Amino acid sequence: PLHDDYSMFIPAKCIMYSANQEDSIIVKLPDDPHLVTEIRTYLQTQKYIKDKSDASASTSLKTILRDRAEQNRERRNRLVMLIEKLLIDADYYTLGKSIEIKAQTFSKAIEDAFDYLIQNIFNKFGYLIKVYDDPIEEIRQTLKANDIVQQQMLFEFENNEPKDIKEVKGYIDLRLLTNPPVILSELVQYFAKRPYGWNEFQTIVLVAKLFMTGTISLVMDSAKLQLKDAAAILSKTHQWKSIKIVKRKMPSEADIKKAQALGKELFGSLAPDGQDKLSQYIRDGLGDWEKSLKSYKPLADTGKYPGKKEIDVCLNTIIKVLAIHDAYELIKAFNDHKTDLEEASDDLHDLKDFYNNQRQTWDKLRDAMSKFEPNRTALDKNPDASKALQRMTQILNAPNPYTLLKEANTLISSVQAVNDALIQEQCELALKEIDEKIGGISTLLADNNAKDEVKHAMLKPLQDIKKKIQAEYSIPHITYSVKEAQEIYEDKLEKIAEMFRPDPAPDKPKKQVKTIKPANFKQKAYLDTEDDVEIYIGRLKAELISAIRNNNRVRIE
């Protein structure tokens, strides 16, 4: 009421003035005469007290000044209460309207007026479905949501789109049509102004949701951001100027149908409609392939099982496609790799059949080949066995042995029969030879009345070799065991001779054992004539007589 223009601010002027001052509230207090009187008296009293205050003043004047000061304090309190009442009863104008305030306190009256102003200036603030206490944490949680949450949110966007999401999408669509590109910092600033007034990070939460569901893509330094990297970047305000928002590309109907047909061919099931569902269908199908191939890879990498090259090639193709997060780009890559994926499907069919059904046959073939290999020289002398072994080798070395494995059991049986016969023959010959040695030592021990413990010690090594041969499956090992038995036999003969040798006469030297090998006295590989026989026998006889005359004991080997 003390304002010079108070009388001019009739309701019409207040309405017009508030319309021109969009961010202001006009509060017109009632013209209460007590207000002017009390203010003037208060100010005059304050001036009087100030002017008369002096340390040298009389006691009576000081008393008067104290009384006046106390009266003015009471007057000030009355003024405050009066202004508070006038504020409650005042006329309020804003945004070209007179607004009705029904508050019981002056502070609530001012608050209600500002609420009205803010709600009408920022009339889309209420579009925010939720105001997050910790928006940065919400951004992190949104971007690491699993597929189920992602699909649920996408379904919500498509079927019951929230107002805040709709506003952000609408802004992006309009900007991309009229003035691309959309910079993230500009989008945040736009929604911080009228009519929104959204906090910067509340807006970033909405961008994160659109990004997580694949509605938009975020590009930084010419590369699309990945979900795993986006939370850290979106949480830093200085990064927002470097991030562009790109609307997702949508595949054509022809590309969708092409991908659906390829999916049915590769995965054996009907592909769904819609970019996102089709993308997930492709991801699931290739993910199953990847899981199977990775389960086969450790065995193939050993070099003992087939398919390493095919597994690596298939995985390389699959990983390339699955590395793409954008649904549009994934569908495009799926179609572009049609030939590679069809070849991978054929390879995977063979690999699945092998590792799930044929692996046991393969192991049987490898084990049989390992068992036959030591006897290869002997087996190759048999035409049927040699041919079967060559075929087994071809299968084991074949790049794609899958259709050949049906021959495995027949080939193994064919070689097994020949191998068993050879083993039996070699065993019988070897056992016969060892039995002769056991018999010779047994006779020698009996002739010398050897004790039982001596017999056991002398015969046990040969008996052990005999048991070993009976269980042996390798012809070279049987041959080696026979040689080993010969050495043991010679050693035992020497020990027995030493053990039971009579004390020599004092004038006769002790006889030494000399080993003679008859095969060393042949002059030719073969004896063809009677003269050849006579010459051979003559040389052997001369050597034997010479050894005896030189006081040696002769051992024939």
Side-chain angles (χ1 to χ4, degrees):
L2 296 175
H3 195 282
D4 293 339
D5 296 332
Y6 180 79
S7 61
M8 296 175 59
F9 272 79
I10 61 175
K13 183 173 177 62
C14 289
I15 288 171
M16 182 177 67
Y17 188 86
S18 68
N20 294 330
Q21 305 291 327
E22 288 186 353
D23 54 355
S24 301
I25 298 171
I26 296 176
V27 185
K28 185 180 181 183
L29 276 62
D31 187 8
D32 189 321
H34 294 93
L35 177 64
V36 177
T37 302
E38 287 286 69
I39 289 176
R40 283 176 178 167
T41 303
Y42 175 81
L43 293 173
Q44 289 171 355
T45 303
Q46 284 289 90
K47 186 176 185 300
Y48 174 80
I49 294 170
K50 181 179 179 183
D51 291 344
K52 297 297 182 180
S53 295
D54 191 334
S56 61
S58 64
T59 302
S60 60
L61 180 58
K62 288 181 179 178
T63 301
I64 292 171
L65 292 175
R66 281 197 301 271
D67 290 343
R68 294 287 177 88
E70 179 61 29
Q71 291 171 4
N72 232 21
R73 278 193 293 272
E74 292 176 358
R75 184 174 288 109
R76 185 182 188 283
N77 289 337
R78 289 197 303 272
L79 272 169
V80 170
M81 291 175 64
L82 177 58
I83 293 173
E84 287 181 356
K85 182 177 184 304
L86 294 175
L87 284 168
I88 294 172
D89 296 337
D91 295 327
Y92 287 81
Y93 301 89
T94 188
L95 301 175
K97 292 181 179 180
S98 171
I99 59 175
E100 185 178 2
I101 301 297
K102 296 181 179 181
Q104 301 299 313
T105 64
F106 80 95
S107 59
K108 184 66 168 60
I110 297 296
E111 182 180 334
D112 288 352
F114 273 117
D115 282 347
Y116 180 88
L117 173 66
I118 292 169
Q119 288 172 9
N120 284 273
I121 288 178
F122 299 99
N123 58 358
K124 291 188 178 180
F125 182 86
Y127 283 18
L128 282 175
I129 301 302
K130 183 176 181 180
V131 177
Y132 297 96
D133 294 332
D134 188 350
I136 293 179
E137 179 59 24
E138 182 64 22
I139 291 166
R140 293 194 187 101
Q141 294 300 323
T142 296
L143 293 175
K144 71 177 186 180
N146 58 32
D147 292 343
I148 295 175
V149 174
Q150 185 183 44
Q151 291 302 314
Q152 288 174 343
M153 191 174 294
L154 189 61
F155 178 82
E156 180 185 349
F157 289 177
E158 292 175 349
N159 295 277
N160 187 23
E161 189 171 47
K163 285 186 176 181
D164 49 7
I165 290 291
K166 185 176 182 180
E167 290 292 313
V168 175
K169 282 176 64 178
Y171 172 82
I172 293 170
D173 290 342
L174 183 62
R175 281 290 306 277
L176 289 175
L177 284 174
T178 60
N179 189 26
V182 180
I183 306 301
L184 181 59
S185 60
E186 295 175 0
L187 179 142
V188 170
Q189 291 169 8
Y190 176 82
F191 285 100
K193 298 176 183 178
R194 300 175 184 176
Y196 299 97
W198 297 350
N199 174 275
E200 292 177 335
F201 277 102
Q202 302 292 340
T203 303
I204 295 296
V205 170
L206 301 176
V207 171
K209 289 182 177 181
L210 290 170
F211 178 52
M212 185 271 288
T213 56
T215 307
I216 61 172
S217 297
L218 301 179
V219 178
M220 185 175 183
D221 297 330
S222 302
K224 288 186 178 179
L225 285 183
Q226 304 301 318
L227 282 174
K228 62 183 178 65
D229 305 320
I233 295 172
L234 290 177
S235 300
K236 298 180 177 67
T237 57
H238 68 275
Q239 300 274 27
W240 296 347
K241 291 182 179 180
S242 304
I243 299 174
K244 295 178 182 179
I245 300 174
V246 179
K247 193 70 174 174
R248 282 176 66 188
K249 294 179 181 178
M250 301 299 292
S252 66
E253 187 64 27
D255 286 338
I256 290 284
K257 289 183 177 179
K258 182 178 178 183
Q260 288 175 323
L262 180 58
K264 183 179 180 182
E265 175 189 345
L266 299 179
F267 308 134
S269 60
L270 290 175
D273 295 322
Q275 174 174 289
D276 294 304
K277 291 180 180 179
L278 177 58
S279 171
Q280 190 59 48
Y281 166 82
I282 293 169
R283 193 173 295 281
D284 291 342
L286 293 181
D288 290 341
W289 281 17
E290 182 183 27
K291 184 178 179 181
S292 296
L293 290 166
K294 284 185 174 179
S295 70
Y296 309 147
K297 185 172 172 58
L299 286 175
D301 284 346
T302 65
K304 297 178 181 179
Y305 294 86
K308 174 175 171 52
K309 178 182 176 182
E310 289 77 10
I311 290 172
D312 290 342
V313 170
C314 291
L315 281 175
N316 183 53
T317 301
I318 291 167
I319 290 170
K320 276 183 185 177
V321 177
L322 289 180
I324 301 170
H325 294 276
D326 182 78
Y328 170 83
E329 297 293 344
L330 184 136
I331 292 171
K332 182 177 182 298
F334 185 65
N335 287 333
D336 290 345
H337 287 82
K338 181 177 186 293
T339 301
D340 293 337
L341 290 169
E342 287 174 335
E343 291 177 358
S345 178
D346 293 338
D347 289 335
L348 183 62
H349 178 270
D350 290 337
L351 290 165
K352 277 185 175 180
D353 187 44
F354 175 82
Y355 283 97
N356 295 335
N357 303 316
Q358 295 182 314
R359 181 181 158 193
Q360 187 175 2
T361 302
W362 178 267
D363 287 337
K364 184 178 178 182
L365 183 64
R366 285 182 61 248
D367 292 344
M369 198 66 189
S370 297
K371 189 188 296 184
F372 297 149
E373 192 58 39
N375 305 333
R376 188 69 181 260
T377 302
L379 288 168
D380 278 340
K381 295 177 181 178
N382 182 289
D384 292 336
S386 178
K387 184 177 179 181
L389 283 169
Q390 290 176 11
R391 184 57 174 169
M392 289 168 67
T393 302
Q394 288 175 354
I395 295 173
L396 290 172
N397 293 333
N400 299 293
Y402 317 111
T403 59
L404 307 177
L405 283 172
K406 61 181 180 291
E407 304 175 32
N409 289 329
T410 302
L411 293 169
I412 293 170
S413 298
S414 175
V415 179
Q416 186 74 54
V418 177
N419 191 70
D420 289 346
L422 290 171
I423 292 293
Q424 183 178 356
E425 180 183 353
Q426 291 297 318
C427 278
E428 289 174 355
L429 292 173
L431 293 174
K432 180 180 179 182
E433 186 172 341
I434 293 173
D435 281 341
E436 290 175 355
K437 289 177 170 51
I438 290 173
I441 290 177
S442 296
T443 300
L444 190 57
L445 290 170
D447 290 345
N448 287 281
N449 296 315
K451 295 181 180 180
D452 289 343
E453 57 267 26
V454 173
K455 292 179 180 179
H456 178 76
M458 294 298 167
L459 294 174
K460 187 175 185 308
L462 289 172
Q463 290 168 341
D464 288 344
I465 288 181
K466 183 177 178 181
K467 291 179 182 177
K468 180 180 175 182
I469 290 173
Q470 288 171 333
E472 188 55 69
Y473 205 80
S474 165
I475 293 174
H477 287 175
I478 294 173
T479 302
Y480 177 80
S481 294
V482 171
K483 183 179 179 182
E484 186 181 10
Q486 179 64 33
E487 292 174 355
I488 293 171
Y489 174 69
E490 292 176 4
D491 177 66
K492 299 305 180 187
L493 288 179
E494 288 184 6
K495 287 184 177 179
I496 293 170
E498 187 68 26
M499 190 180 299
F500 297 106
R501 176 180 291 138
D503 295 333
D507 58 339
K508 289 186 178 181
K510 182 178 178 180
K511 287 188 176 184
Q512 300 296 318
V513 175
K514 182 174 182 179
T515 300
I516 294 178
K517 298 181 179 180
N520 291 341
F521 296 93
K522 60 182 181 180
Q523 290 180 303
K524 301 166 63 176
Y526 301 97
L527 302 179
D528 296 317
T529 64
E530 292 183 6
D531 288 340
D532 292 338
V533 174
E534 292 295 337
I535 293 170
Y536 169 72
I537 293 174
R539 293 185 66 201
L540 176 60
K541 179 179 178 182
E543 184 66 21
L544 292 169
I545 292 173
S546 173
I548 295 299
R549 287 176 178 174
N550 289 322
N551 200 36
N552 290 316
R553 301 184 74 203
V554 175
R555 182 173 65 208
I556 303 296
E557 183 177 322

